Amino acid sequence: MTSKKRFHAILVSSILVLMCVVVSAKNLIPDSINLLLSTSSKEKQLELLLSTTEKIINKYPEQAIVYAERALTLSTEQNDSISLALSHFLLAKALYVTGQYSVTLENLDLAHDFFISTTDSIRLTESYQLYSNVYVSIGEFSSAVENFQKALGWAIRIGDKRQIADLTRELGNIYSYFDEKAIALDFYQKSLVRSQEFDYAEGVAKAYNNIGRTYVEMGKFDAALVYLQKSLTAKIKEDDRVSYSHTLLNIASVYLSKQEYQKAILYLQDAYQNYASVSNADGMSNSQYYLGVAYKNLGRYNQAIALQNQAWEIASAHNLQRHRVNISRELADIYEKIGDYPKAHNFLTTYIELRDSVFSDEKSRLLMELETRYQLGDKQRQIELFSKQKALESSEKTQIRIWFAFLITLVLLLIALLYLLHNQFRYKNKTNKTLLLEISQRKEFEAQLNVYQEQLENLVEERTRELKEAKNRAEEADKLKSAFLANMSHEIRTPLNAIVGFSYLLIDKDTNDESRTEYMKIIKSNGEVLINLINDILDISIIEAGQLKTKIKPFGLNALFDELKFFFTKENLSKSAVELTTDFDAHYNSDLLITTDQVRLRQILANLIGNAVKFTHKGKISVGYRVSGLDKIIFFVKDTGEGIDPENHELIFERFSKFSVGSGQTIYSGTGLGLAICREMVGVLGGEIWVDSVLGKGSTFYFTLPFKNEDNATTKVNKQLKSDIELLKGRTILIAEPVEGNYKFLEGFLASLQMNTIWAKDGVSVINEFRNKSTVDIVLMNLLMPVLDGINTLKNIRKLQIDVPVIMTTTFRCENEKKNCFEAGCNAYIERPICNKDLTSRIIELLKESINQVSPQ
């Protein structure tokens, strides 16, 4: 091939790879690529397909499979045996990434036979390495060791430093599977040093990952996180999602070990999504297994069982024996915890059978054989170096040969003397060696006995601790079950007693029509209470089982709020002294569109409004929304009811939580599940929920949902506001806010405007910030704060001769509240919920006034 043709082929190949990268996310072969292939000769098509496949195997394995199969067809048509073998080999590598191990071995066998016939040392090294990886994945460690040894031999023979570094690391993996952590760590560190010597970045990243994983297994979690974060930083997710996901999985295992299960779940979900994007069965099964472990430790056993069953199905479909060992052991433990002992026994039996088949007594023989072969490889290299040294020394020996002739005579005389001495001491030496051998063996046996004794003591101690923990968990579960059953018995009997009692009065002949009508209303009301109780129990059961489904689609909020207002006004507030109103974002019209699950959103709002109705006896209930930035909408339900004690703000979202309220310490009816259900549903829809409440003044429940601003054609855009936003960049705002949820909401929005924030939880903290000479451009202060309220805090700021602009905010407005704020020296007053655009406009306005006051005239 001429240089011009080579240049053309390279150019076409580069264009093809670039176009594949652009469209691979959609898993399509675009018409433009097909056109490029169709306009090239078949020889160039084959060359382009093979080069492209090799470049995208780790990045887009499914697309690589398509290209490799097309290359197979062209190779067969052209009767090109070299390209045919390479096509089978590349197809095998892509199938391995997606976890299709049986088909991987079929294609690898076809390629490997050709490499043997042509003695292609480079490809033989790679094929033996791939054989070893496949057999490790399916738990056939004997075959894995055999092929690993062959791969290492070829790598040493051709002097491929990268392959040797990779194989050293994979040798550590095999020791790791047999729980030989110290040996595995030694090989990982050797692989790291070798990779760093010749700047092998991918090898360094993978070695960091393996070292981090080993430290996790050894309980050194801080060291593990250091290495795993280095690995994650060095890896590029889009280039090798499988390797990137391995590191995510290992980080998750750190947080599992540290009992930080929510963090672990986030990393595991991210890892599963990446594995699924490349159809990697090994990773999908492993991530589902660890997710099940996390949910088990959180006490959510139904979800844990569902996830373990999914992991079992994936592992069984792809013959992943190692995973089935772990999954069967975990399922046995879960069923034991929930008291299903027959199933626990079945899975324990399955675990023992699988463990014996995968990790048999052959383990020791395999490890010894592997270590011997590895050491022989090192010895071979040393012998080669030694032979070169001998060649250099031979020239020196020639020069001193004359001296040897002279010394021989002297040596012969000395030999005679030494022979006599040797005969005298030979017997003594033989006796001493026998004694030393016996002493050494005795010490070795004593050391082994000490180790076995220590292991036995640790095992007894661990089992005793596990039994105590199991006993405590069982007692706690029994208490919770008893309390729940007692509560449900009371809550269900109350409406049932009313229904049954008034039913008897209905059929009484002496009951008049007016009384019958009143009795039917009471029966209807108690029937609805009973239905709500049953619905709450069903909802929490669905959530526990991990079966909560959503249907995401766009809809208008206007109709939903009208429906809720009509229902609660007619059914619950028609004769009460409570008014239900709606409060929408003034910057959006009533036809605002949102894309989410309409049924779940209605259920969340209905639960929150129902709670407000239950605890509000006079005043009003306000329900509405505000748009926060470009990607979030915040809903709220505000009431003037009895309020919630601050120490219970987090506990009310727990299941079965019920608290006495009001001066009479009234305990209201209900399951204590409503707010817990709301929190789970908001989380599934991608949002957060929190409460802002003051005893005696009322409560405001907030929750956020994702929102796409560009979907609403009626958004009013203030062009002048956009241009003034540049004024806010780098400015510092002090947020005086006792509720962390409210602060996080404001911090996120103001950070999008590139403003710096300082958080003060009470009035004293605000004053201290100014006394410490903090640089503050503007203050956003909640009127209701502990220790020192907003008005008194503002008065103290003004006494310090500080003219910083102050914006006062409040959720619960009183008659003279606004007047008192301005008299104390505030510059602006905003009612909650806060509209982001109103807040932005007010901050810009006050900053402009402040700048004009200090500017020279």
Side-chain angles (χ1 to χ4, degrees):
M1 181 182 290
T2 65
S3 59
K4 184 175 182 180
K5 290 182 178 179
R6 288 180 180 274
F7 175 78
H8 179 264
I10 294 171
L11 178 61
V12 173
S13 176
S14 301
I15 294 173
L16 178 60
V17 172
L18 179 60
M19 298 181 73
C20 288
V21 171
V22 173
V23 301
S24 292
K26 299 181 179 178
N27 295 319
L28 299 173
I29 301 176
D31 293 337
S32 56
I33 295 178
N34 288 329
L35 179 61
L36 182 60
L37 290 171
S38 64
T39 56
S40 303
S41 65
K42 289 189 175 182
E43 292 180 355
K44 291 181 179 177
Q45 288 182 28
L46 182 57
E47 183 178 351
L48 292 174
L49 285 170
L50 291 174
S51 62
T52 303
T53 301
E54 193 156 21
K55 290 178 181 177
I56 67 172
I57 282 175
N58 289 325
K59 195 170 185 180
Y60 304 108
E62 294 180 342
Q63 192 68 55
I65 292 172
V66 175
Y67 288 148
E69 289 174 344
R70 292 184 64 181
L72 277 175
T73 303
L74 287 175
S75 301
T76 305
E77 291 175 359
Q78 298 177 25
N79 196 23
D80 186 344
S81 58
I82 297 176
S83 298
L84 183 63
L86 184 56
S87 299
H88 278 298
F89 181 66
L90 294 177
L91 179 57
K93 290 178 71 175
L95 290 167
Y96 169 73
V97 174
T98 61
Q100 303 178 55
Y101 300 122
S102 59
V103 191
T104 299
L105 291 174
E106 292 174 6
N107 284 276
L108 186 55
D109 288 340
L110 295 172
H112 185 70
D113 290 340
F114 180 84
F115 297 152
I116 291 176
S117 65
T118 58
T119 319
D120 187 342
S121 56
I122 295 176
R123 292 298 183 185
L124 276 173
T125 305
E126 295 178 357
S127 63
Y128 279 127
Q129 185 178 3
L130 184 55
Y131 271 124
S132 177
N133 291 339
V134 173
Y135 285 125
V136 167
S137 297
I138 64 178
E140 295 183 19
F141 292 105
S142 178
S143 299
V145 168
E146 179 182 352
N147 284 279
F148 172 82
Q149 293 167 348
K150 293 177 181 179
L152 183 60
W154 280 102
I156 293 172
R157 188 176 306 173
I158 64 177
D160 190 333
K161 295 182 179 180
R162 290 196 173 193
Q163 289 284 5
I164 293 173
D166 287 339
L167 289 166
T168 303
R169 187 182 65 255
E170 290 171 8
L171 177 60
N173 288 339
I174 296 177
Y175 276 105
S176 178
Y177 289 137
F178 289 114
D179 205 30
E180 297 289 345
K181 301 181 183 65
I183 301 175
L185 182 60
D186 180 59
F187 282 109
Y188 293 148
Q189 290 170 340
K190 287 180 180 177
S191 175
L192 177 62
V193 172
R194 289 176 178 173
S195 299
Q196 289 173 335
E197 285 175 354
F198 51 92
D199 294 329
Y200 180 27
E202 182 180 352
V204 171
K206 290 183 178 180
Y208 279 147
N209 175 70
N210 291 122
I211 293 171
R213 186 195 67 205
T214 306
Y215 278 135
V216 174
E217 296 170 354
M218 297 172 71
K220 300 178 180 180
F221 303 124
D222 293 335
L225 279 177
V226 171
Y227 278 98
L228 292 172
Q229 290 296 344
K230 286 182 179 180
S231 176
L232 197 65
T233 303
K235 293 178 179 179
I236 301 175
K237 178 170 64 174
E238 286 73 20
D239 286 345
D240 191 347
R241 287 182 179 270
V242 174
S243 180
Y244 186 85
S245 301
H246 289 344
T247 304
L248 291 175
L249 202 64
N250 290 330
I251 293 174
S253 68
V254 175
Y255 290 118
L256 281 175
S257 301
K258 295 175 71 174
Q259 300 182 355
E260 296 180 23
Y261 302 120
Q262 293 297 341
K263 287 186 178 179
I265 288 172
L266 293 176
Y267 279 99
L268 289 169
Q269 290 173 339
D270 193 4
Y272 177 80
Q273 291 173 359
N274 280 285
Y275 282 131
S277 68
V278 294
S279 302
N280 184 272
D282 188 281
M284 293 165 64
S285 175
N286 214 14
S287 55
Q288 292 293 81
Y289 162 76
Y290 282 112
L291 272 171
V293 172
Y295 280 114
K296 180 198 76 173
N297 291 324
L298 288 171
R300 298 165 69 169
Y301 299 120
N302 290 329
Q303 288 176 280
I305 292 172
L307 289 164
Q308 294 297 352
N309 285 332
Q310 292 174 13
W312 179 270
E313 291 174 4
I314 297 171
S316 300
H318 294 83
N319 194 26
L320 303 175
Q321 293 292 77
R322 291 185 297 102
H323 294 331
R324 295 177 68 194
V325 172
N326 295 332
I327 296 167
S328 57
R329 180 184 61 193
E330 189 66 11
L331 283 169
D333 187 43
I334 296 172
Y335 281 118
E336 181 187 6
K337 292 182 184 301
I338 64 177
D340 193 344
Y341 299 110
K343 287 186 178 179
H345 177 265
N346 290 339
F347 278 105
L348 184 60
T349 303
T350 302
Y351 161 69
I352 295 172
E353 294 173 354
L354 289 170
R355 181 197 62 189
D356 292 342
S357 66
V358 176
F359 302 98
S360 63
D361 292 337
E362 191 182 15
K363 159 188 169 181
S364 299
R365 183 185 64 78
L366 290 175
L367 291 181
M368 290 178 63
E369 179 183 355
L370 186 62
E371 184 173 0
T372 302
R373 185 65 61 91
Y374 181 81
Q375 290 176 351
L376 284 176
D378 283 345
K379 292 294 184 182
Q380 181 179 353
R381 289 194 295 275
Q382 292 174 9
I383 290 170
E384 291 174 355
L385 293 174
F386 182 72
S387 64
K388 294 179 181 179
Q389 184 178 357
K390 293 287 287 182
L392 294 174
E393 292 176 353
S394 62
S395 60
E396 298 177 0
K397 288 181 179 179
T398 303
Q399 297 176 5
I400 61 173
R401 191 174 297 170
I402 298 173
W403 289 98
F404 282 166
F406 172 76
L407 292 173
I408 286 174
T409 304
L410 182 61
V411 169
L412 290 173
L413 294 174
L414 291 173
I415 287 174
L417 179 62
L418 291 174
Y419 180 74
L420 295 174
L421 295 174
H422 173 71
N423 285 335
Q424 292 180 2
F425 290 101
R426 184 175 59 181
Y427 179 75
K428 291 182 179 180
N429 288 337
K430 184 177 180 180
T431 305
N432 289 337
K433 287 181 180 179
T434 303
L435 291 174
L436 288 173
L437 180 62
E438 291 179 356
I439 292 171
S440 176
Q441 290 177 345
R442 183 176 296 176
K443 288 183 177 179
E444 184 178 352
F445 291 148
E446 289 177 354
Q448 289 180 354
L449 286 174
N450 291 334
V451 171
Y452 291 147
Q453 182 179 359
E454 185 178 353
Q455 289 177 346
L456 182 60
E457 291 174 353
N458 292 337
L459 182 61
V460 171
E461 183 180 352
E462 181 180 356
R463 294 302 183 195
T464 303
R465 185 176 65 256
E466 289 177 353
L467 288 172
K468 288 182 179 179
E469 292 176 354
K471 176 176 176 292
N472 293 336
R473 287 196 299 270
E475 290 176 350
E476 183 65 24
D478 186 59
K479 290 179 182 178
L480 289 174
K481 182 178 69 174
S482 300
F484 174 70
L485 291 175
N487 185 34
M488 288 302 98
S489 175
H490 171 74
E491 296 296 340
I492 292 173
R493 285 176 179 274
T494 300
L496 276 178
N497 287 338
I499 293 170
V500 173
F502 284 102
S503 296
Y504 281 121
L505 293 176
L506 281 177
I507 62 176
D508 192 337
K509 296 179 180 180
D510 296 332
T511 304
N512 56 42
D513 292 341
E514 183 178 352
S515 297
R516 278 196 175 89
T517 301
E518 187 64 28
Y519 296 161
M520 284 189 288
K521 289 181 179 178
I522 295 173
I523 291 171
K524 175 178 177 293
S525 175
N526 283 274
E528 291 174 350
V529 170
L530 187 59
I531 289 173
N532 288 333
L533 289 173
I534 295 171
N535 286 339
D536 283 349
I537 296 171
L538 290 175
D539 284 338
I540 206 68
S541 299
I542 291 172
I543 292 170
E544 281 287 345
Q547 300 297 319
L548 185 63
K549 306 295 183 183
T550 59
K551 294 181 180 179
I552 307 299
K553 59 181 180 180
F555 62 91
L557 286 177
N558 185 41
L560 176 61
F561 278 102
D562 287 345
E563 176 188 339
L564 291 170
K565 182 178 180 181
F566 174 80
F567 173 79
F568 280 98
T569 301
K570 182 178 180 181
E571 297 293 329
N572 301 85
L573 302 174
S574 57
K575 295 183 179 180
S576 69
V578 179
E579 177 187 5
L580 178 62
T581 63
T582 56
D583 182 6
F584 302 148
D585 195 324
H587 294 274
Y588 295 84
N589 65 13
S590 58
D591 293 326
L592 181 68
L593 294 177
I594 184 173
T595 302
T596 189
D597 189 319
Q598 184 175 1
V599 175
R600 299 304 178 189
L601 178 56
R602 180 190 293 109
Q603 189 173 354
I604 295 167
L605 288 169
N607 272 348
L608 296 178
I609 296 172
N611 266 4
V613 171
K614 183 189 298 185
F615 295 104
T616 305
H617 306 298
K618 64 179 180 178
K620 72 175 183 177
I621 299 170
S622 178
V623 57
Y625 65 86
R626 295 287 186 271
V627 176
S628 173
L630 299 177
D631 59 353
K632 190 182 297 182
I633 184 169
I634 179 168
F635 294 88
F636 61 89
V637 177
K638 180 167 67 172
D639 63 61
T640 58
E642 298 178 351
I644 303 168
D645 194 311
E647 66 182 19
N648 295 329
H649 282 188
E650 291 296 329
L651 296 177
I652 59 173
F653 293 105
E654 299 295 332
R655 292 165 189 167
F656 314 120
S657 58
K658 297 176 67 177
F659 305 99
S660 57
V661 298
S663 57
Q665 296 294 295
T666 305
I667 298 181
Y668 289 85
S669 63
T671 61
L673 296 174
L675 290 176
I677 292 171
C678 287
R679 182 177 64 177
E680 295 287 348
M681 289 184 177
V682 169
V684 169
L685 295 178
E688 298 178 277
I689 187 170
W690 70 94
V691 65
D692 186 1
S693 181
V694 176
L695 277 175
K697 292 192 175 184
S699 305
T700 302
F701 283 86
Y702 300 93
F703 67 93
T704 61
L705 290 180
F707 174 68
K708 291 185 177 180
N709 199 357
E710 61 268 17
D711 291 342
N712 297 273
T714 58
T715 304
K716 299 177 182 178
V717 181
N718 189 332
K719 295 183 179 179
Q720 183 60 40
L721 181 60
K722 285 188 174 181
S723 64
D724 289 340
I725 285 178
E726 293 294 325
L727 179 65
L728 304 181
K729 291 183 179 179
R731 300 284 184 173
T732 300
I733 181 170
L734 190 152
I735 302 175
E737 172 58 57
V739 179
E740 184 177 3
N742 290 340
Y743 169 72
K744 290 292 184 182
F745 162 66
L746 292 168
E747 179 194 33
F749 165 65
L750 294 170
S752 68
L753 300 178
Q754 300 184 34
M755 294 190 72
N756 303 318
T757 58
I758 299 174
W759 184 22
K761 296 183 179 180
D762 53 59
V764 174
S765 299
V766 174
I767 296 170
N768 289 336
E769 287 291 338
F770 285 105
R771 285 177 175 169
N772 294 333
K773 305 300 182 182
S774 297
T775 303
V776 177
D777 296 300
I778 194 165
V779 178
L780 181 64
M781 189 183 308
N782 193 336
L783 183 63
L784 300 174
M785 290 191 298
V787 184
L788 193 65
D789 62 19
I791 291 177
N792 287 314
T793 300
L794 181 55
K795 290 179 179 178
N796 279 277
I797 291 174
R798 297 309 184 209
K799 287 179 181 178
L800 295 173
Q801 302 298 317
I802 297 173
D803 296 328
V804 63
V806 176
I807 302 174
M808 299 292 288
T809 71
T810 183
T811 304
F812 312 100
R813 184 179 179 184
C814 301
E815 288 290 336
N816 298 323
E817 190 175 87
K818 187 173 183 179
K819 178 182 176 183
N820 294 336
C821 288
F822 279 104
E823 288 178 352
C826 81
N827 301 88
Y829 180 91
I830 298 177
E831 289 188 36
R832 299 191 179 198
I834 297 174
C835 174
N836 290 344
K837 291 192 176 181
D838 287 343
L839 178 60
T840 304
S841 300
R842 199 62 60 87
I843 292 174
I844 292 172
E845 178 184 339
L846 293 176
L847 286 177
K848 283 183 175 180
E849 291 178 1
S850 178
I851 292 171
N852 292 333
Q853 289 175 2
V854 299
S855 299
Q857 298 297 322

